[in-house]
Amino acid sequence: MICAALILAAQPTQGQAPPGSAQSRAELLGRQTYPGPSATPGAETEGYAVTSPSEKDIGEQQILKRKEEYKPFTVSIYSPFYWTSNAALVSRGEQDDVLVAPGVTLTYRPRITNTFYLEFGVVQQFFFYDQLTELNFASLDVIAGATYYVPQFHNLTLRAVYDYNRLTDTDNFDELFANHSIILTAELPFRVARAQQIVLGTALNLSFAGNPESPRRNNYSLYSYYDLALSRSFSLDAAFQFVVRDYYSGDRTDVNEILSLSANYRIRDWLMLSALSSFSWNQSNHSVFEYSVANIGGGVALTLKF
């Protein structure tokens, strides 16, 4: 949700990127800036032992364990890879391709109180295509904001960040587009069981400056996540996002649905392997911008906290 691209006025030909395709490809294939829910890793997560037949005799058992020190710094290095059915997100003349999207995220989240955190981050990601190399691009984001938790209101999470995004080519890093936006999110988690969680959320991505001006747009999103932890190491995730995209130029409005599925295996606390897939359908008041796409692949992520 953090990239933008130049909007062209004409119908794209086969092999060309359609108007606004880079920001849409980054949303489908890139790293999200707002935090998603984390599935409960096991039955002991809440601090209580697994229910046993003798519980009525001895009472509820609470596990005593050392409280972990809060670690505000996070470094994440990741490399998803995909087969995509419609690489340029065109309405006709689709071409499939394979791409890899390595990236790195640096985040500092100082804890001000138990429910209020500041956030500063840098995200750099590259998108390399196997055959359609003219679609290659890179995205740099600089983020600053805050997160506030409201435990008395069903653990509501509120987040507001400023995001500066710079979109470039991958040869000389020449700037294609720069955008300034405010991202506001609100999430409500619902614990179904100790190993299952559903999160409902809404997000506003409001652009207030851009260069050039034509690709700018506001995103209004509703989304939901479902997380299932089958063990301490293996989890399944599903997410659905409904987005209305209101462009500043060209009297253009799009409606987009994105379904994402993943299976994650945590080898170590800092190393995770994933099978990834996403499916997207885009409708527009200008038919040239309508498309559908399927992306299937995997990824590896290394995350360190300190």
Side-chain angles (χ1 to χ4, degrees), residues 29-31 77-82 99-103 125-127 274 276 297-301:
L29 306 170
R31 195 77 163 181
I77 302 172
Y78 43 90
S79 184
F81 54 90
Y82 299 93
L99 75 148
V100 61
Q125 190 164 13
F126 300 89
F127 299 82
S274 300
L276 307 168
V300 59

Side-chain angles (χ1 to χ4, degrees), residues 107-171:
T107 305
Y108 173 55
R109 297 185 76 234
R111 180 169 58 188
I112 308 304
T113 69
N114 286 336
T115 58
F116 183 68
Y117 295 75
L118 297 181
E119 179 179 354
F120 306 94
V122 177
V123 181
Q124 176 69 69
Q125 190 164 13
F126 300 89
F127 299 82
F128 298 110
Y129 288 78
D130 180 35
Q131 299 180 22
L132 303 175
T133 56
E134 64 273 18
L135 299 181
N136 293 351
F137 70 99
S139 175
L140 170 68
D141 287 88
V142 179
I143 301 164
T147 301
Y148 181 63
Y149 299 95
V150 191
Q152 63 271 27
F153 191 73
H154 211 282
N155 293 318
L156 173 67
T157 300
L158 302 175
R159 184 171 182 258
V161 299
Y162 159 76
D163 174 51
Y164 167 73
N165 172 244
R166 183 173 183 264
L167 183 70
T168 67
D169 63 34
T170 55
D171 295 326

Side-chain angles (χ1 to χ4, degrees), residues 31 70-78 104-110 118-123 269-270 301-306:
R31 195 77 163 181
Y70 177 68
K71 300 176 181 179
F73 291 95
T74 301
V75 179
S76 182
I77 302 172
Y78 43 90
V104 59
T105 298
L106 308 175
T107 305
Y108 173 55
R109 297 185 76 234
L118 297 181
E119 179 179 354
F120 306 94
V122 177
V123 181
D269 290 341
W270 48 270
L302 185 153
T303 302
L304 299 175
K305 292 181 178 291
F306 57 95

